[in-house]
Amino acid sequence: MSTVTSADGTPIAFDRVGGGPPVVLVGGALRHRACDPVAERLAAILAPSFTVIRYDRRGRGGSGDTAPYAVAREIEDIEALVAEAGGAAAVCGFSSGAVLALDAARRLPGITRLAVVEPPFVVDDSRPPLPQDYLPRLAALLAAGRRGDAVEFFLTRAADVPAERVALHRRSPAWPVFEAAAHTLVYDGAVMGATMSGAPLPAHRWACVTAPVLVTGRAGGPAFLRGAARALAGVLPCARLRLLAGAAGRRDHPETVPPGGRDHHGDARSAGGRDHHGEARSAGGRDHHDEADFVCGGGHHAETAAALAPVLSHFLAAS
């Protein structure tokens, strides 16, 4: 493990593997180097061609947590890592870490290329929006020392994981690791802001991002994540949208969004709730592949990393 000092003096722990152009991986909610098997596997696959930097976001793992928290401090953490990499690097963010990476790309000219994996925006009615009182209730649980209940509240309300699955995860060996990072869920809430309300994404928020952007996720993943990916690609000045084949071996779905334009692939659904990617939805509208696969460890980490790696490698290597 190595450390770099952020602008406010906070030590940020990171690992560096491989050789070649640098890429910084930004984890999502609750994730850090000891608890992010997708990023760990992805780093190993990319290492022969890239220098991959995995780090613990502040408040997690080996990194410090200087108060008060602000999203701007997390952007400074990424800036310090990019400087450590030589002053220029590609960045790849996952889930809420993808949104943090987008915000960093607004401010940091050293970010040369940006890949965002399943940003968890809620922009339609394919799942319930985040409750308006989500952050106050989350903060109240943490203030009461109910860290496990805070993680459960996040999983069921923000990540839309069924309660019965959360009950199983609470008995897993990973649960204490999640509880240890529970206080950082408020940080991720600050990163997401109002983007999980069911309203369209603000067209102006990332309009100044000029670095090439790849927006990607699972073709067989939750409908709200596919809608989020398309919505984001539609508001970026120029983006490549790529939905990856899932466990059933479906083909990838490359989708290109023209500058300032809209996705040229419609999102029509046929009767019975089957979307145009052929992914059946269960009773009540919940996808068979829910967000627990990425958040809680659904057992598909090697497959997810293997599907992401060639697409990311091609994008990151492009001039």
Side-chain angles (χ1 to χ4, degrees), residues 42-283:
L42 183 63
I45 298 173
L46 295 178
S49 301
F50 300 94
T51 298
V52 185
I53 296 174
R54 297 175 57 225
Y55 77 103
D56 295 339
R57 287 173 56 189
R58 60 174 55 210
R60 314 176 196 193
S63 291
D65 192 19
T66 305
Y69 174 82
V71 176
R73 303 291 81 77
E74 288 220 69
I75 294 173
E76 290 169 355
D77 300 344
I78 295 174
E79 183 176 26
L81 291 160
V82 171
E84 175 71 18
V91 172
C92 176
F94 300 82
S95 194
S96 56
V99 184
L100 175 60
L102 278 163
D103 284 342
R106 294 169 55 196
R107 294 181 47 184
L108 306 180
I111 295 179
T112 57
R113 301 182 79 80
L114 178 64
V116 293
V117 182
E118 297 199 330
F121 305 126
V122 180
V123 296
D124 54 33
D125 62 356
S126 58
R127 58 150 282 181
L130 198 66
Q132 291 187 352
D133 62 350
Y134 168 76
L135 277 177
R137 291 174 64 184
L138 181 63
L141 289 170
L142 292 167
R146 298 168 58 187
R147 300 177 74 87
D149 291 340
V151 174
E152 179 171 346
F153 184 64
F154 157 73
L155 290 173
T156 55
R157 301 305 178 90
D160 200 33
V161 179
E164 59 271 18
R165 287 196 67 176
V166 176
L168 292 174
H169 288 303
R170 289 196 77 145
R171 297 195 292 270
S172 76
W175 192 262
V177 181
F178 289 155
E179 286 192 1
H183 60 288
T184 65
L185 291 171
V186 176
Y187 305 170
D188 286 283
V191 169
M192 296 304 301
T195 60
M196 299 184 73
S197 66
L201 290 178
H204 63 279
R205 180 167 172 180
W206 301 290
C208 63
V209 175
T210 57
V213 180
L214 171 69
V215 183
T216 188
R218 296 162 291 170
F224 87 93
L225 291 177
R226 295 194 301 271
R230 293 192 181 92
L232 175 62
V235 300
L236 291 171
C238 184
R240 171 80 173 171
L241 175 59
R242 187 71 174 262
L243 298 180
L244 306 174
R250 290 177 296 274
R251 293 187 310 157
D252 290 358
H253 297 270
E255 306 179 14
T256 302
V257 180
R262 68 174 66 234
D263 183 348
H264 69 274
H265 291 261
D267 194 22
R269 291 190 179 94
S270 61
R274 185 178 298 275
D275 70 20
H276 76 286
H277 291 296
E279 181 67 13
R281 296 164 74 193
S282 59

